[in-house]
Amino acid sequence: MIRQKLFILISFIFGWTTLNAVQPNPYTQQADTTLLLNDISVTTQVRRPTFIVNTNGTIELSSQFTADNPTFMNSADPVAIIRTLPSVSTCSDLQAAFSVMGSTTGSNLFLADGMRIINPFHMLGFFSAFNPSYYKTLTFNASRINVLSANTTAGRLEAISSANNFDKPHGEISLGAIESHTAISIPIKPIKSIASVGFRKSYLHLLFPSILQFGRTNLKYGFSDLNIGLTTRFTPNNSLSFNFLAGKDHMKFQDLNSMRDDGAFGWENLSVGASWKNGKTILNAAYSGFFNRFKLSEANQKINLPSKLSQISLSYIRPIKTFTIEADAAYRYSSGQQNIENTTNNSTDNRAKKSFEFNAALLWNKTFVDKLGIELGARVSYYHQNEYNIIVPQLRLHTHYNITDNISFFAAYGRYVRFDRLVEETTGGLPANFWTCADKTLPPETSDAFNVGINIFIPDIAIHVSVEGYYKIIKNSGEFNGSILNTLSADYNALSDVILGDGYAGGITFLLTRNFGKIRGRLSYTFGVSKLKFAELGKQYVSAAGERPHDLNLTLTYQATEALNFSAAFTYASGLPYTRAKYGYMIGENLICEYYPHNSSRLPAYKRLDISATYTFPTNNSRNHSIGISVYNALATNNILFYYTTYSFNEGIKQRKSVMKSVIPSINYTFKF
Amino acid sequence: MKYRILPLIIAAIIFASCENLNDEMFPDNELPLVIEGWIEEGQPPVIMVTRAVNLTDTLLSFDDCVEKWCRVSIFDNGQQHILSGRVDKNYLPSFIFTSNKIKGAVGHVYDLLVETEDTIARATATMLPAPQITSLRPKKLENSDSLYSITAFIEGLNSNCYYKFFEQQHSKETHFYPSFMGTFTSDEYNSHSGFNITKGTRISTDYDTPNFSHYFNANDVVTVKIFSLEQPIYDFWKTYDQQITLTNNLFFTFSENCPGNISGALGYWAAYGASRASIRLPR
């Protein structure tokens, strides 16, 4: 039995003389004496849980949790932590991808303070758009998403800035070797408000110019993010928030052969939203925009592929007794994609699509005898795009049963749909990928998901165990089966090369966490398969692009002293599927390859060890400084990004592999106040 | 006790899922025959017969991949011509099958028959009329004094037809090579801006070195040919262009097989209607 010393200091703010004057037992106060208790603060020396697994499947992470875990360059990026959880595939180096239970990146829903973030990943996948200083909490659902949420067929991730300290200014500044971020919140007491601002910038090539050199290719890359928020609390239960997020990525793609032309890529996120909360009633309005820039040229062959997706959305949630009603609507504009180098008017207006989506949902939630919880929801979606109209009902049933206080069993079924589609023309999520609206030729993606599992808490050792089995039936999953070079032709529309497949994803996940004590950490393992069948690729199932049958993540943190902690994170995951070359032959004095069937081979397993140490300088006030050092890929494992074959007179036929440069050390300084 | 079952379940899954995706589905056997062959309008045929290399082997080499001991025949509108093999160092590989008794003519149907010890390969090609190159104009590369591409203007294109440019830079090359991304349809040709021609990549150039350039040098004499293609040959060259451009690229992987038109072998057999023009680039 772990003994915990719990010290509770209760302090009263705005003390009252009445209490001081009367006898100390408040329970004997006369009924006509009113005590006004304005505020209570409770402090404890027990570590606040910063990683919570709820019985409904929602995982909550605090920014303190991400700061305690090793992340790339000590950036404390929260999505890097999410990627170590079960159900989320390990991301290869340079891949701005997010695969949940075998899904594609475009199947997920990303939100920040109620606003949709269309693409929350910065290029190359090292960082997300969620400034860890600005966003204090992340919630994540890999499954069992209830009907009140906007549509998604995979995971749901929301970052919440949680401006709630109305007493004094507070914030954080973190300076690192390739990335820095900051956030400051300032109370405006006369109007009971908090104004917040956050900023983040990367400068990858300044200190590590060789990180992004691969064979003949050199990349120069950077990004910046800006967050602004204003929250006004009229009463403790009534608040109005305005939020703003803007981010920009830019990359130059240069062949080290000085005679070859460059490419220039980039994208921008812009989200603006307002949220009114009155108790549990919530009204949200938001604009979300995502803009791609993609330019590539070689030997006077030029590709210029701008694209964008804009969305205006409105949602309303209101609980009524055991029911909750929800309604939301979204209008989307997708520019489509066309090589504007070859068009006469430099625009893609003839590829644009507009769509409208309306959803209504009803959720019933009831717990019986404190043991059996049932959440039954129905969501009906109406979608319109040009002449295409469709109504999609979605039924979801989530149940959990408390076998004991520490053991609960859950089972769930849900039907999911999404109406906007991401066309991925590149691996790694480069800006040649673009969003479009579903229509008759590219219908909405749907999934039917079944989940069963068990949650166990072992109080003696403060360990939480979660095991979940899942099976999803997927329809209309899309994959791009063409080539980026086809866009050299002005008439080419990449949508003509999107093939649709049906398939399934299934597996079992295991999560063990310990969030208290000197030794903390988690072990996460997923065994999962994801298969799709495309008519264009034959009769057999092929592995989905993000399938990793085995995915293991182990993170340990050792709190050596109050001020010093050490962390290590080890990742082992099956390699991603790829299409291997079987034969090579000469045509036109070039090596041409004949390939095995699509995605029928697998890269070697991905392995990586990251280590970090953080020292927090002792302080007697609320300000603290800390310094952290980290080593990314401490074992210098050469994780293979892809294979290719070359032929030259000097070297003959060579099998080559592309790997990211190995060990990356970093140091960062953080100041919190 | 109730917590101990979980590791056993996990171990069972791990041991049950170890498999190699390839071994049972694609056993290694004899190497495919590869044919690169064409007959051009007014020119004798050129056929190169080789074997592919198994890229899963440990030792990889194109040495000994040339098939010299095979019988190569062309049927010109039904009349058989047996080709003889000889060394011609202008080509790679340098062993070709050809015959001076047959020259390409528009409208003729040419059947190819290649017979080796264990393989028979067949293909058919019809020679279509070629458009005419009306002019060639040099286009200087930005920020360069000595590098040029060439813009070709064409007339006589038929709708829904397919074409390909080849080029020969006389100071460096002994025969014609496919130009860079030079395969197109008649719908893709813009009569106002013409078609831009640059050098393609191949191992006999400095492609893999910092000195490589897609552009022609000042004062060079360059001859440009335009070939008319049948659709299967267009499909082959289109995929070929993309494969050699993207195959080494980390972010734009391309792993599509070149769709040949030969039964029993990889590669292609084409009959090209052709027209040509030359230009000397400015000093």
Side-chain angles (χ1 to χ4, degrees):
Chain A
M1 175 76 76
I2 294 178
R3 292 192 175 86
Q4 296 176 346
K5 293 184 179 180
L6 179 66
F7 296 96
I8 300 175
L9 176 64
I10 300 176
S11 62
F12 291 85
I13 301 175
F14 299 114
W16 46 91
T17 57
T18 306
L19 186 60
N20 289 332
V22 301
Q23 296 304 312
N25 185 350
Y27 298 105
T28 61
Q29 292 296 327
Q30 297 300 315
D32 60 354
T33 302
T34 302
L35 300 178
L36 180 63
L37 194 65
N38 286 339
D39 211 332
I40 296 175
S41 68
V42 177
T43 61
T44 173
Q45 291 182 7
V46 174
R47 175 174 282 272
R48 177 187 294 278
T50 54
F51 179 86
I52 301 172
V53 180
N54 294 303
T55 53
N56 64 0
T58 303
I59 292 177
E60 294 179 33
L61 286 77
S62 74
S63 57
Q64 180 58 47
F65 179 82
T66 57
D68 280 350
N69 282 258
T71 52
F72 181 72
M73 307 300 270
N74 260 2
S75 62
D77 194 277
V79 172
I81 305 300
I82 297 285
R83 286 198 176 112
T84 66
L85 298 178
S87 305
V88 184
S89 282
T90 291
C91 199
S92 291
D93 301 323
L94 308 182
Q95 303 281 311
F98 194 79
S99 175
V100 176
M101 290 184 175
S103 70
T104 60
T105 302
S107 300
N108 300 291
L109 175 67
F110 302 100
L111 303 160
D113 290 328
M115 313 178 291
R116 181 184 174 187
I117 309 299
I118 295 172
N119 180 2
F121 305 108
H122 291 296
M123 272 186 275
L124 307 182
F126 293 139
F127 304 101
S128 71
F130 303 123
N131 180 341
S133 295
Y134 188 82
Y135 293 104
K136 299 301 181 190
T137 306
L138 238 73
T139 64
F140 174 65
N141 283 77
S143 61
R144 294 182 282 158
I145 299 168
N146 70 35
V147 294
L148 306 180
S149 165
N151 288 322
T152 176
T153 49
R156 180 187 188 279
L157 191 152
E158 179 167 15
I160 304 166
S161 56
S162 298
N164 54 14
N165 185 344
F166 286 77
D167 289 336
K168 57 180 179 176
H170 55 280
E172 176 180 317
I173 300 171
S174 178
L175 304 173
I178 65 168
E179 173 267 351
S180 296
H181 52 269
T182 181
I184 298 173
S185 295
I186 301 173
I188 308 173
K189 289 185 180 178
I191 57 171
K192 298 182 184 177
S193 299
I194 297 179
S196 303
V197 64
F199 183 71
R200 189 180 197 185
K201 185 162 179 64
S202 81
Y203 27 87
L204 187 61
H205 59 277
L206 279 185
L207 295 180
F208 299 96
S210 64
I211 279 182
L212 299 179
Q213 275 186 15
F214 311 94
R216 291 196 301 265
T217 306
N218 186 40
L219 304 179
K220 288 186 179 178
Y221 171 63
F223 74 84
S224 54
D225 290 326
L226 174 67
N227 300 91
I228 300 173
L230 178 68
T231 300
T232 299
R233 184 184 289 179
F234 305 109
T235 71
N237 287 327
N238 192 330
S239 65
L240 179 65
S241 301
F242 296 96
N243 294 289
F244 172 86
L245 180 152
K248 184 171 183 175
D249 282 59
H250 53 93
M251 179 191 292
K252 278 196 174 179
F253 179 94
Q254 187 173 44
D255 201 295
L256 291 176
N257 178 329
S258 59
M259 303 308 293
R260 292 190 192 155
D261 297 338
D262 298 345
F265 315 147
W267 67 49
E268 291 153 25
N269 265 312
L270 176 64
S271 294
V272 182
S275 179
W276 174 63
K277 295 178 184 176
N278 185 10
K280 293 186 178 178
T281 299
I282 304 173
L283 178 65
N284 273 331
Y287 165 82
S288 305
F290 180 67
F291 314 92
N292 266 339
R293 292 170 281 113
F294 185 89
K295 287 187 181 180
L296 198 61
S297 66
E298 183 167 355
N300 281 343
Q301 303 285 346
K302 296 181 180 179
I303 295 175
N304 186 351
L305 301 173
S307 66
K308 68 178 178 184
L309 177 71
S310 302
Q311 174 175 312
I312 298 173
S313 57
L314 191 65
S315 70
Y316 177 75
I317 296 178
R318 181 185 173 90
I320 303 175
K321 294 186 180 177
T322 57
F323 292 90
T324 305
I325 59 171
E326 188 269 353
D328 65 85
Y331 167 81
R332 294 191 190 94
Y333 172 86
S334 155
S335 66
Q337 187 191 71
Q338 186 175 19
N339 185 2
I340 63 172
E341 286 289 337
N342 298 327
T343 59
T344 53
N345 59 358
N346 267 13
S347 78
T348 60
D349 288 342
N350 58 342
R351 302 278 170 94
K353 290 185 186 178
K354 301 173 189 175
S355 71
F356 174 75
E357 177 188 329
F358 176 77
N359 304 277
L362 178 67
L363 180 72
W364 177 69
N365 202 327
K366 181 84 176 166
T367 302
F368 298 93
V369 202
D370 288 336
K371 279 197 175 290
L372 175 64
I374 295 178
E375 188 181 278
L376 179 63
R379 182 176 176 85
V380 178
S381 300
Y382 165 71
Y383 177 79
H384 165 79
Q385 197 285 313
N386 199 10
E387 296 175 347
Y388 179 72
N389 297 281
I390 189 170
I391 294 175
V392 181
Q394 301 165 63
L395 187 67
R396 295 178 203 170
L397 174 63
H398 303 162
T399 63
H400 72 269
Y401 182 76
N402 297 326
I403 302 169
T404 68
D405 286 344
N406 294 321
I407 302 175
S408 65
F409 168 83
F410 64 86
Y413 163 77
R415 184 142 214 268
Y416 303 85
V417 66
R418 74 173 298 136
F419 298 105
D420 51 351
R421 308 300 303 264
L422 177 63
V423 180
E424 296 185 80
E425 295 184 48
T426 70
T427 57
L430 288 186
N433 299 345
F434 69 99
W435 288 88
T436 188
C437 302
D439 60 13
K440 190 167 53 177
T441 53
L442 187 58
E445 181 182 73
T446 63
S447 73
D448 290 88
F450 302 85
N451 306 80
V452 295
I454 189 166
N455 289 310
I456 302 169
F457 179 65
I458 308 169
D460 296 359
I461 49 177
I463 283 182
H464 179 271
V465 177
S466 175
V467 182
E468 179 175 355
Y470 68 91
Y471 182 76
K472 290 168 63 172
I473 301 168
I474 303 163
K475 294 205 177 295
N476 298 323
S477 180
E479 196 165 305
F480 179 67
N481 197 36
S483 162
I484 188 76
L485 294 181
N486 289 340
T487 58
L488 288 169
S489 170
D491 294 332
Y492 176 74
N493 189 337
L495 294 179
S496 63
D497 273 331
V498 174
I499 54 176
L500 293 175
D502 296 340
Y504 62 91
I508 186 165
T509 71
F510 173 84
L511 175 65
L512 185 153
T513 60
R514 184 172 194 265
N515 293 321
F516 300 96
K518 271 184 173 291
I519 299 176
R520 305 183 294 275
R522 67 188 175 281
L523 173 66
S524 143
Y525 172 74
T526 301
F527 169 75
V529 294
S530 179
K531 306 290 184 189
L532 297 167
K533 191 189 290 186
F534 300 93
E536 293 85 348
L537 299 181
K539 295 180 183 177
Q540 70 280 7
Y541 279 99
V542 298
S543 294
E547 182 195 68
R548 292 191 191 267
H550 303 288
D551 208 325
L552 174 76
N553 287 275
L554 173 64
T555 304
L556 288 174
T557 299
Y558 174 61
Q559 195 74 39
T561 68
E562 187 67 30
L564 178 65
N565 75 52
F566 301 95
S567 292
F570 178 71
T571 299
Y572 180 95
S574 303
L576 289 172
Y578 79 107
T579 306
R580 185 181 182 187
K582 186 174 184 185
Y583 296 118
Y585 57 98
M586 297 295 290
I587 295 284
E589 296 187 22
N590 281 302
L591 174 68
I592 300 298
C593 294
E594 188 79 0
Y595 294 93
Y596 283 102
H598 180 72
N599 276 359
S600 59
S601 300
R602 198 171 289 283
L603 292 171
Y606 181 91
K607 297 175 285 253
R608 198 183 80 236
L609 175 69
D610 304 329
I611 55 176
S612 69
T614 304
Y615 179 79
T616 304
F617 295 93
T619 177
N620 293 327
N621 54 37
S622 60
R623 300 174 190 170
N624 66 69
H625 310 246
S626 64
I627 191 162
I629 57 172
S630 71
V631 181
Y632 180 85
N633 196 16
L635 297 179
T637 311
N638 280 335
N639 287 307
I640 295 171
L641 303 174
F642 90 117
Y643 286 117
Y644 61 103
T645 309
T646 62
Y647 178 67
S648 66
F649 283 137
N650 294 336
E651 296 183 304
I653 304 173
K654 286 288 180 189
Q655 299 279 35
R656 300 187 189 273
K657 50 194 176 186
S658 188
V659 298
M660 201 181 85
K661 293 293 190 299
S662 51
V663 183
I664 306 174
S666 176
I667 185 168
N668 80 309
Y669 166 78
T670 302
F671 170 61
K672 295 183 185 179
F673 61 95
Chain B
M1 177 65 80
K2 54 190 167 185
Y3 307 124
R4 294 178 190 170
I5 191 90
L6 296 174
L8 295 176
I9 295 173
I10 293 167
I13 292 169
I14 290 172
F15 290 123
S17 62
C18 293
E19 61 177 281
N20 185 317
L21 290 169
N22 293 325
D23 290 345
E24 296 175 4
M25 294 168 68
F26 311 106
D28 293 329
N29 46 26
E30 66 176 49
L31 301 171
L33 196 67
V34 179
I35 297 170
E36 181 177 6
W38 69 90
I39 181 167
E40 183 185 328
E41 184 178 353
Q43 300 294 319
V46 175
I47 291 112
M48 292 172 274
V49 184
T50 59
R51 290 277 177 186
V53 169
N54 189 335
L55 295 177
T56 63
D57 284 345
T58 309
L59 294 175
L60 303 174
S61 172
F62 278 126
D63 295 343
D64 302 325
C65 73
V66 178
E67 278 282 350
K68 297 178 184 175
W69 308 111
C70 54
R71 188 164 86 157
V72 179
S73 308
I74 291 178
F75 295 81
D76 178 1
N77 282 354
Q79 182 181 0
Q80 183 179 15
H81 299 268
I82 297 176
L83 277 60
S84 54
R86 61 179 172 90
V87 175
D88 186 336
K89 292 190 177 177
N90 290 321
Y91 294 97
L92 186 71
S94 56
F95 191 88
I96 66 171
F97 291 88
T98 187
S99 170
N100 287 323
K101 296 179 182 176
I102 174 175
K103 301 282 174 72
V106 172
H108 283 221
V109 177
Y110 298 97
D111 297 318
L112 175 70
L113 175 65
V114 176
E115 300 165 277
T116 69
E117 267 187 17
D118 47 22
T119 308
I120 296 176
R122 302 175 196 272
T124 298
T126 303
M127 189 171 292
L128 303 174
Q132 299 302 310
I133 300 173
T134 56
S135 66
L136 296 176
R137 297 179 195 171
K139 182 178 177 182
K140 188 184 283 189
L141 177 65
E142 280 182 27
N143 302 322
S144 169
D145 290 331
S146 60
L147 296 175
Y148 292 84
S149 61
I150 297 170
T151 303
F153 292 87
I154 315 162
E155 65 180 22
L157 293 173
N158 295 318
S159 62
N160 297 322
C161 286
Y162 310 96
Y163 304 96
K164 184 165 182 64
F165 275 108
F166 282 66
E167 52 79 18
Q168 179 182 6
Q169 187 177 14
H170 289 272
S171 63
K172 293 183 179 180
E173 294 156 359
T174 57
H175 66 281
F176 286 84
Y177 291 93
S179 68
F180 180 68
M181 301 299 294
T183 312
F184 62 102
T185 68
S186 50
D187 294 338
E188 292 168 345
Y189 175 72
N190 186 320
S191 58
H192 298 291
S193 55
F195 193 95
N196 195 258
I197 298 167
T198 50
K199 287 197 298 187
T201 61
R202 49 199 172 273
I203 59 168
S204 55
T205 64
D206 300 327
Y207 176 69
D208 225 9
T209 71
N211 295 325
F212 174 77
S213 168
H214 281 290
Y215 298 93
F216 305 102
N217 298 102
N219 203 35
D220 256 342
V221 175
V222 178
T223 299
V224 170
K225 278 193 204 177
I226 184 168
F227 288 159
S228 59
L229 313 176
E230 294 180 283
Q231 182 170 356
I233 304 301
Y234 167 83
D235 292 339
F236 178 90
W237 282 117
K238 197 72 177 173
T239 307
Y240 174 97
D241 286 343
Q242 303 199 27
Q243 200 186 110
I244 63 170
T245 304
L246 297 177
T247 191
N248 296 349
N249 194 294
L250 167 63
F251 295 109
F252 309 105
T253 54
F254 184 83
S255 49
E256 208 173 300
N257 294 328
C258 286
N261 68 332
I262 303 176
S263 164
L266 301 172
Y268 71 92
W269 165 241
Y272 295 135
S275 70
R276 65 169 70 191
S278 297
I279 181 173
R280 177 180 286 279
L281 296 168
R283 290 180 183 276

